[in-house]
Every structure is written in structure tokens, then in C-alpha cells.
Amino acid sequence: EVRDAEAEWAGGTARGSVSAVFSVPPKYEISAEVDHAELSALPWSAHWAEYWGGAASGKLRLTTTGVGRDALVAALAGTGELHLKSVELHGWDVGASMDTGTLHTGVSRWASGEGEFTIAGRALHFDSFTLDNSHIRTRLDGTLDFSQDLNLTFAPAPIDRRVVKSIPAPRLFQLRGPLEKPVAAVEIAPVAQARKQQ
């Protein structure tokens, strides 16, 4: 067991503990807290920094079992919570794209973001993650695959039920494909999803 370990990581600080049980097969548990890591410095891929900026803090708990990298990655599972500041997505203006229904290039900026995530099936999964700026809240759902493919959907956050009948189905901004060169698209939310937001 390793307790109260601390290291510099991605421009911030990581603190945590590791428990390893050398049974057959070996089992591992990792708990960590990260403070003020730079999103652009996260070691997700060589192209990650081209698109994302900001600061991240949060908590993470991982478990895995097996021998060798492939077995450990295949069995990797976890949960966590994330808090973001000064988030930037370079390449597209998500808000303008959803407002007009056509793609707008540029930079998307949010003052903060927060939510929970899970790790399973060789991917990082976001469900109802929220991004906030001064005039709008955006919901983020989707996955970042360990193979460096992404499938992310940005949508207006749920609105007041009392006025929803007069507002058309929201537009969605989608980012899909390899992280090296993702493809963006704007779509109208399916009826079932629009009702779920309400």
C-alpha cells in the first residue's frame, strides 16, 4: 500500500493512494485528487492540446486487475468528479453553431464546468456534464475512447418546464471521430431527447 503520495502532474498537483493485492490475478485500487491541472497538458493524446484549454480539479477512483498492459486496460473501471475553470474548445463556436443551426469556426469559452464521469469499456464517459458561462448553460454528454476517438454532444441545458411548449426542439452540436481531426455537425435534437431535457 502507498498512502499520501503526491506528485506534480499536468501543471498541477496529484495526491492519492494505491493498494495492490498480489493474488491470482493481481488487483489494484487507486484513489486520487487532482488540483489545478492544465487541460492542455493532460496526456490523452498528442493532439489533445490543439483543441482544449483551461484548468481541472477533481477526484478519481480506479480499479483494475490482471497482468500486463492489455489486461489492466481492459479491466480498468472507475468513477470521478471534475471541476473546470476557464474552459476553451478551439476550432468551433459551439454556442453560435447551436443558435444558428450552421457550423461556426472560432473558440468556445465557458467560465466553469462540473460533473461526474465513469471509466469502463476502454472509454471515459460523461453524462449530463454542465458547462457555464455568463449567459447560457450547456450540457455535455458522450465518450472519449482510449483509442483516441471521441463522440461528444453539446446541448442547451434543461429549461423551465413552464415555458417549454413555446420553444422548438433544441439544436445539438456534435463532435465525432479521431481526436487528430474530429468532425463537427449541428443537428436538431430527436423528439425523445428533447422531451427528456424538459
Side-chain angles (χ1 to χ4, degrees), residues 131-172:
L131 300 167
D132 290 285
N133 60 27
S134 59
H135 60 280
I136 192 170
R137 170 171 285 189
T138 303
R139 194 184 76 246
L140 172 63
D141 299 284
T143 60
L144 294 174
D145 193 275
F146 289 0
S147 64
Q148 299 184 12
D149 279 353
L150 53 81
N151 186 348
L152 300 177
T153 299
F154 298 80
I159 56 177
D160 193 330
R161 293 170 183 252
R162 293 171 294 182
V163 299
V164 74
K165 290 183 179 180
S166 62
I167 297 178
R171 298 184 182 98
L172 309 177

Side-chain angles (χ1 to χ4, degrees), residues 14-29:
R15 294 182 296 274
S17 61
V18 179
S19 175
V21 179
F22 298 113
S23 55
V24 181
K27 299 177 180 178
Y28 305 88
E29 293 187 6

Side-chain angles (χ1 to χ4, degrees), residues 54-66:
S57 300
K59 298 179 180 180
L60 173 66
R61 182 175 180 84
L62 296 172
T63 62
T64 191
T65 183

